[in-house]
Amino acid sequence: MNEKLESRLRAALRPVAPRDEFTRDLIARVAADRRSSFDARSAHGRRPRARGWWLSAGMAASLLVAAGIQHRLQERHERERGLEARREVIEALRVTSQKLNLVYEVIKNQSSSPADDKPGV
Amino acid sequence: MTGGEALAYPVRFAGDTLTLNEAAPGFSDEQLGKARAGEAAALASLIQAHQRSVYSLALRMLGTRDLAEDLTQDVFMQLSSNLKSIESNTHLKFWLRKVTSHRAIDQLRRRARIETMPLDEEITPSSTVDHGDPLLQRHLRLLLLNLSPPARAVLLLRYQEDLDPIDIAKTLDMPINTVKSHLKRSLEILRQETPNPAPVRCEGKST
Amino acid sequence: MRSCSLRIFLALLAPTLAWAAPNPRLALPEFAALAQKATESVTITLDAALLAIAGRFLDGNDPQDAAAKEVLKGLQGIYVRSYTFDKDSAYQQADIDAVRNQLSAPGWSRLVETRSRKSQANIDIYIMVTNDQATGLALIASEPRQFTIVNIVGAIDLDKLHKLEGQFGVPKLDIDLPKTASPNTKK
């Protein structure tokens, strides 16, 4: 039953195109923006790939020699864990700041209309 | 204050392993290089290759064409300023989805519930392929607008952009369990609110 | 002899003192039954080890990550339970009271209590201060269709938490924190 709903969702959510006129305007605006802020230094070499790939590639080479493919898998697992922990931190701080924001709103409203909100400090 | 202030920074990529779809058809890494170098034709190709995805995400998040067009324009203008940091087509797709989703969610959080118009004005390519019941599809799209912004974004990235939960988590900076929880709960809600098509009855009618 | 007796006395007293030391970490239930009913649930448990791992993956060049990195300095744990429901009164106050009761233990003091008739949100912020330093924070927010509990353990800098607004998709409000004892965490 889920599969039927999922296929209906996919059909309902096929990407759609904006108006042609919008596309033309968009291209013109972005091109104008690029022209005005074009930086000659963009001609310099490509930015080196992230260090993480170097470490993985280097480690993979030496570990293959030492038959250490297991170590590479473990490293990848730890990286995923670290990224997931980072996402959880961001989410936790987002929730916290959202609630703090509600408190600040009450305090702000208190100064304008004391009847509705009641902060106590 | 615009919705963009919270996102005025390059999107992290750092070589994350992603399993995203490959580049939009007709847009190569070579063209990306030319767009980064400022070549106008390549930039135009970039926009044409990716605007459907960005616009559709914006439209289904925000609910109206005007808001979707504004957001699409903002996203591509921001991309134009950050093209130098885009490393590949995979990164480009990731960046576009991430920025569009985050900005849409930001906008929705700032606004009261937006009065949305039915999405009749969607422009779809004419096709002889039967994609199913258009009324049911419209009903599903409207139901989507009743979901919370994060849940809506999760569903769109899953069923419009065909991302798996891990990539959705990376795109939205959301824990994987939260992604799965949104998917499960949102599908339950949609299933409950979606009528099953009535069986077709053939009745003899005189004309 | 006297110093020996004193040492023995202190050694005997130490367990009692340790038992009496306030604990900034709350015992948060899993709320499994509520999670089933909720349309959205956020359950985050980040101890010191996980925070350290997360810190390595926060990018200092990214404003959002940099702000998070600043807040994380000195923290030993972040714990969040947040549940959103699709109708009012889907949870009972008794569900939250088990947590709230812990905040009447010694060491905790209520920093802020807000009751908003407009948004129907009740938000209480508690803080634990040890040696003039904030060592724990607890936030309990209950709204008609959502409740949220946040427990932060460690050397909390309230100014940095305050500066979170504007990041993470939350709009900036130009108001100051209430002027309370906001410990300076600099050492």
Side-chain angles (χ1 to χ4, degrees), chain B residues 8 21 25 35 86 90 94-95 109 122 138 140 157 167 169 179 199:
Chain B
N21 293 334
I86 303 294
T90 304
F94 172 77
W95 191 100
R109 281 190 177 134
E122 285 191 15
R138 184 165 165 274
L140 281 171
L157 290 173
D167 287 337
V179 170

Side-chain angles (χ1 to χ4, degrees), chain B residues 150-190:
Chain B
R152 199 181 309 167
V154 166
L155 231 65
L156 286 171
L157 290 173
R158 181 82 187 99
Y159 296 106
Q160 176 184 303
E161 299 296 307
D162 211 24
L163 298 190
D164 66 32
I166 294 176
D167 287 337
I168 295 173
K170 287 171 180 167
T171 303
L172 296 179
D173 266 336
M174 194 184 274
I176 184 79
N177 286 336
T178 308
V179 170
K180 288 178 179 173
S181 159
H182 278 313
L183 276 174
K184 180 170 177 253
R185 186 67 188 129
S186 299
L187 286 175
E188 267 169 28
I189 292 170
L190 291 182

Side-chain angles (χ1 to χ4, degrees), chain A residues 14-41:
Chain A
R14 281 176 300 123
V16 296
R19 298 171 298 130
D20 289 343
E21 192 186 333
F22 168 78
T23 303
R24 277 194 296 273
D25 286 346
L26 176 62
I27 290 173
R29 280 200 194 112
V30 171
D33 182 66
R34 278 295 273 181
R35 272 196 301 275
S36 67
S37 64
F38 182 71
D39 182 5
R41 286 173 301 164

Side-chain angles (χ1 to χ4, degrees), chain B residues 6 16 19-20 33 36 80 114 132 134 137-138 150 162 167-168 170-171 202:
Chain B
D16 284 358
T19 54
L20 300 180
R36 288 174 60 190
S80 167
I114 299 170
Q137 289 172 12
R138 184 165 165 274
D162 211 24
D167 287 337
I168 295 173
K170 287 171 180 167
T171 303
C202 295

